[in-house]
PDB file of all heavy atoms in Angstrom:
ATOM      1  N   LYS A 119     -12.004  16.000  -0.045  1.00  0.00           N
ATOM      2  CA  LYS A 119     -11.812  15.062  -1.134  1.00  0.00           C
ATOM      3  C   LYS A 119     -10.385  15.069  -1.531  1.00  0.00           C
ATOM      4  O   LYS A 119      -9.813  16.090  -1.795  1.00  0.00           O
ATOM      5  CB  LYS A 119     -12.711  15.497  -2.366  1.00  0.00           C
ATOM      6  CG  LYS A 119     -12.620  14.555  -3.524  1.00  0.00           C
ATOM      7  CD  LYS A 119     -13.640  14.798  -4.653  1.00  0.00           C
ATOM      8  CE  LYS A 119     -13.518  13.940  -5.819  1.00  0.00           C
ATOM      9  NZ  LYS A 119     -12.728  12.775  -5.937  1.00  0.00           N
ATOM     10  N   PRO A 120      -9.778  13.869  -1.605  1.00  0.00           N
ATOM     11  CA  PRO A 120      -8.414  13.774  -1.975  1.00  0.00           C
ATOM     12  C   PRO A 120      -8.089  14.074  -3.521  1.00  0.00           C
ATOM     13  O   PRO A 120      -9.101  14.006  -4.269  1.00  0.00           O
ATOM     14  CB  PRO A 120      -8.028  12.437  -1.680  1.00  0.00           C
ATOM     15  CG  PRO A 120      -9.325  11.533  -1.695  1.00  0.00           C
ATOM     16  CD  PRO A 120     -10.457  12.564  -1.347  1.00  0.00           C
ATOM     17  N   VAL A 121      -6.944  14.371  -3.723  1.00  0.00           N
ATOM     18  CA  VAL A 121      -6.569  14.570  -5.153  1.00  0.00           C
ATOM     19  C   VAL A 121      -6.579  13.124  -5.750  1.00  0.00           C
ATOM     20  O   VAL A 121      -6.079  12.190  -5.209  1.00  0.00           O
ATOM     21  CB  VAL A 121      -5.082  15.100  -5.268  1.00  0.00           C
ATOM     22  CG1 VAL A 121      -4.626  15.115  -6.721  1.00  0.00           C
ATOM     23  CG2 VAL A 121      -5.084  16.561  -4.752  1.00  0.00           C
ATOM     24  N   SER A 122      -7.144  13.016  -6.930  1.00  0.00           N
ATOM     25  CA  SER A 122      -7.287  11.732  -7.579  1.00  0.00           C
ATOM     26  C   SER A 122      -5.938  11.219  -8.069  1.00  0.00           C
ATOM     27  O   SER A 122      -5.096  12.034  -8.338  1.00  0.00           O
ATOM     28  CB  SER A 122      -8.331  11.736  -8.687  1.00  0.00           C
ATOM     29  OG  SER A 122      -7.778  12.247  -9.893  1.00  0.00           O
ATOM     30  N   PHE A 123      -5.874   9.893  -8.191  1.00  0.00           N
ATOM     31  CA  PHE A 123      -4.677   9.314  -8.779  1.00  0.00           C
ATOM     32  C   PHE A 123      -4.359   9.909 -10.199  1.00  0.00           C
ATOM     33  O   PHE A 123      -3.219  10.291 -10.509  1.00  0.00           O
ATOM     34  CB  PHE A 123      -4.869   7.823  -8.882  1.00  0.00           C
ATOM     35  CG  PHE A 123      -3.761   7.092  -9.587  1.00  0.00           C
ATOM     36  CD1 PHE A 123      -2.594   6.840  -8.930  1.00  0.00           C
ATOM     37  CD2 PHE A 123      -3.866   6.684 -10.898  1.00  0.00           C
ATOM     38  CE1 PHE A 123      -1.548   6.234  -9.555  1.00  0.00           C
ATOM     39  CE2 PHE A 123      -2.895   5.987 -11.528  1.00  0.00           C
ATOM     40  CZ  PHE A 123      -1.686   5.751 -10.934  1.00  0.00           C
ATOM     41  N   PHE A 124      -5.362  10.062 -10.962  1.00  0.00           N
ATOM     42  CA  PHE A 124      -5.199  10.597 -12.264  1.00  0.00           C
ATOM     43  C   PHE A 124      -4.799  12.070 -12.309  1.00  0.00           C
ATOM     44  O   PHE A 124      -3.991  12.465 -13.070  1.00  0.00           O
ATOM     45  CB  PHE A 124      -6.453  10.326 -13.140  1.00  0.00           C
ATOM     46  CG  PHE A 124      -6.712   8.905 -13.383  1.00  0.00           C
ATOM     47  CD1 PHE A 124      -7.796   8.254 -12.756  1.00  0.00           C
ATOM     48  CD2 PHE A 124      -5.881   8.197 -14.241  1.00  0.00           C
ATOM     49  CE1 PHE A 124      -7.924   6.890 -12.945  1.00  0.00           C
ATOM     50  CE2 PHE A 124      -6.053   6.770 -14.406  1.00  0.00           C
ATOM     51  CZ  PHE A 124      -7.087   6.124 -13.772  1.00  0.00           C
ATOM     52  N   GLN A 125      -5.306  12.827 -11.338  1.00  0.00           N
ATOM     53  CA  GLN A 125      -4.919  14.235 -11.253  1.00  0.00           C
ATOM     54  C   GLN A 125      -3.448  14.277 -10.872  1.00  0.00           C
ATOM     55  O   GLN A 125      -2.653  15.132 -11.395  1.00  0.00           O
ATOM     56  CB  GLN A 125      -5.757  15.008 -10.199  1.00  0.00           C
ATOM     57  CG  GLN A 125      -7.217  15.262 -10.692  1.00  0.00           C
ATOM     58  CD  GLN A 125      -8.092  15.773  -9.599  1.00  0.00           C
ATOM     59  OE1 GLN A 125      -7.870  15.297  -8.389  1.00  0.00           O
ATOM     60  NE2 GLN A 125      -8.868  16.728  -9.858  1.00  0.00           N
ATOM     61  N   TRP A 126      -3.087  13.495  -9.847  1.00  0.00           N
ATOM     62  CA  TRP A 126      -1.671  13.464  -9.437  1.00  0.00           C
ATOM     63  C   TRP A 126      -0.706  13.017 -10.592  1.00  0.00           C
ATOM     64  O   TRP A 126       0.334  13.731 -10.779  1.00  0.00           O
ATOM     65  CB  TRP A 126      -1.532  12.569  -8.247  1.00  0.00           C
ATOM     66  CG  TRP A 126      -0.098  12.429  -7.791  1.00  0.00           C
ATOM     67  CD1 TRP A 126       0.631  11.278  -7.868  1.00  0.00           C
ATOM     68  CD2 TRP A 126       0.698  13.443  -7.191  1.00  0.00           C
ATOM     69  NE1 TRP A 126       1.941  11.576  -7.385  1.00  0.00           N
ATOM     70  CE2 TRP A 126       2.005  12.893  -7.014  1.00  0.00           C
ATOM     71  CE3 TRP A 126       0.527  14.707  -6.901  1.00  0.00           C
ATOM     72  CZ2 TRP A 126       2.996  13.550  -6.509  1.00  0.00           C
ATOM     73  CZ3 TRP A 126       1.569  15.457  -6.358  1.00  0.00           C
ATOM     74  CH2 TRP A 126       2.778  14.885  -6.122  1.00  0.00           C
ATOM     75  N   ALA A 127      -1.142  12.074 -11.350  1.00  0.00           N
ATOM     76  CA  ALA A 127      -0.357  11.594 -12.460  1.00  0.00           C
ATOM     77  C   ALA A 127      -0.131  12.621 -13.426  1.00  0.00           C
ATOM     78  O   ALA A 127       0.898  12.879 -14.056  1.00  0.00           O
ATOM     79  CB  ALA A 127      -0.893  10.303 -13.033  1.00  0.00           C
ATOM     80  N   GLU A 128      -1.226  13.354 -13.698  1.00  0.00           N
ATOM     81  CA  GLU A 128      -1.171  14.506 -14.705  1.00  0.00           C
ATOM     82  C   GLU A 128      -0.254  15.585 -14.248  1.00  0.00           C
ATOM     83  O   GLU A 128       0.571  16.089 -14.985  1.00  0.00           O
ATOM     84  CB  GLU A 128      -2.537  15.045 -14.926  1.00  0.00           C
ATOM     85  CG  GLU A 128      -2.647  16.123 -15.961  1.00  0.00           C
ATOM     86  CD  GLU A 128      -2.358  15.740 -17.389  1.00  0.00           C
ATOM     87  OE1 GLU A 128      -2.446  14.517 -17.726  1.00  0.00           O
ATOM     88  OE2 GLU A 128      -2.080  16.624 -18.253  1.00  0.00           O
ATOM     89  N   PHE A 129      -0.326  15.938 -12.911  1.00  0.00           N
ATOM     90  CA  PHE A 129       0.538  16.881 -12.340  1.00  0.00           C
ATOM     91  C   PHE A 129       2.022  16.488 -12.511  1.00  0.00           C
ATOM     92  O   PHE A 129       2.851  17.273 -12.850  1.00  0.00           O
ATOM     93  CB  PHE A 129       0.232  17.125 -10.842  1.00  0.00           C
ATOM     94  CG  PHE A 129       1.211  17.884 -10.114  1.00  0.00           C
ATOM     95  CD1 PHE A 129       1.248  19.390 -10.219  1.00  0.00           C
ATOM     96  CD2 PHE A 129       2.232  17.323  -9.307  1.00  0.00           C
ATOM     97  CE1 PHE A 129       2.089  20.041  -9.597  1.00  0.00           C
ATOM     98  CE2 PHE A 129       3.140  18.057  -8.651  1.00  0.00           C
ATOM     99  CZ  PHE A 129       3.200  19.447  -8.766  1.00  0.00           C
ATOM    100  N   VAL A 130       2.289  15.255 -12.193  1.00  0.00           N
ATOM    101  CA  VAL A 130       3.795  14.815 -12.247  1.00  0.00           C
ATOM    102  C   VAL A 130       4.250  14.799 -13.655  1.00  0.00           C
ATOM    103  O   VAL A 130       5.361  15.228 -13.967  1.00  0.00           O
ATOM    104  CB  VAL A 130       3.827  13.410 -11.589  1.00  0.00           C
ATOM    105  CG1 VAL A 130       5.173  12.759 -11.938  1.00  0.00           C
ATOM    106  CG2 VAL A 130       3.507  13.417 -10.193  1.00  0.00           C
ATOM    107  N   ARG A 131       3.325  14.400 -14.681  1.00  0.00           N
ATOM    108  CA  ARG A 131       3.752  14.357 -16.079  1.00  0.00           C
ATOM    109  C   ARG A 131       3.981  15.868 -16.481  1.00  0.00           C
ATOM    110  O   ARG A 131       4.992  16.163 -17.113  1.00  0.00           O
ATOM    111  CB  ARG A 131       2.592  13.777 -16.906  1.00  0.00           C
ATOM    112  CG  ARG A 131       3.031  13.665 -18.344  1.00  0.00           C
ATOM    113  CD  ARG A 131       1.895  12.815 -19.106  1.00  0.00           C
ATOM    114  NE  ARG A 131       0.649  13.574 -19.099  1.00  0.00           N
ATOM    115  CZ  ARG A 131       0.313  14.320 -20.159  1.00  0.00           C
ATOM    116  NH1 ARG A 131       0.984  14.347 -21.234  1.00  0.00           N
ATOM    117  NH2 ARG A 131      -0.878  14.907 -20.172  1.00  0.00           N
ATOM    118  N   ASN A 132       3.143  16.792 -16.131  1.00  0.00           N
ATOM    119  CA  ASN A 132       3.373  18.162 -16.451  1.00  0.00           C
ATOM    120  C   ASN A 132       4.604  18.758 -15.818  1.00  0.00           C
ATOM    121  O   ASN A 132       5.363  19.479 -16.444  1.00  0.00           O
ATOM    122  CB  ASN A 132       2.118  19.132 -16.137  1.00  0.00           C
ATOM    123  CG  ASN A 132       0.949  18.771 -16.994  1.00  0.00           C
ATOM    124  OD1 ASN A 132       1.037  18.212 -18.083  1.00  0.00           O
ATOM    125  ND2 ASN A 132      -0.186  19.074 -16.482  1.00  0.00           N
ATOM    126  N   TYR A 133       4.870  18.405 -14.547  1.00  0.00           N
ATOM    127  CA  TYR A 133       6.043  18.873 -13.797  1.00  0.00           C
ATOM    128  C   TYR A 133       7.240  18.326 -14.489  1.00  0.00           C
ATOM    129  O   TYR A 133       8.362  19.062 -14.595  1.00  0.00           O
ATOM    130  CB  TYR A 133       5.952  18.485 -12.363  1.00  0.00           C
ATOM    131  CG  TYR A 133       7.153  18.947 -11.587  1.00  0.00           C
ATOM    132  CD1 TYR A 133       7.422  20.331 -11.458  1.00  0.00           C
ATOM    133  CD2 TYR A 133       8.065  18.114 -11.038  1.00  0.00           C
ATOM    134  CE1 TYR A 133       8.520  20.711 -10.733  1.00  0.00           C
ATOM    135  CE2 TYR A 133       9.161  18.440 -10.368  1.00  0.00           C
ATOM    136  CZ  TYR A 133       9.402  19.848 -10.134  1.00  0.00           C
ATOM    137  OH  TYR A 133      10.537  20.217  -9.538  1.00  0.00           O
TER     138      TYR A 133
END
Side-chain angles (χ1 to χ4, degrees):
K119 182 170 176 11
V121 172
S122 79
F123 173 77
F124 294 106
Q125 288 171 320
W126 175 249
E128 182 69 15
F129 169 80
V130 170
R131 189 172 64 99
N132 290 338
Y133 180 65

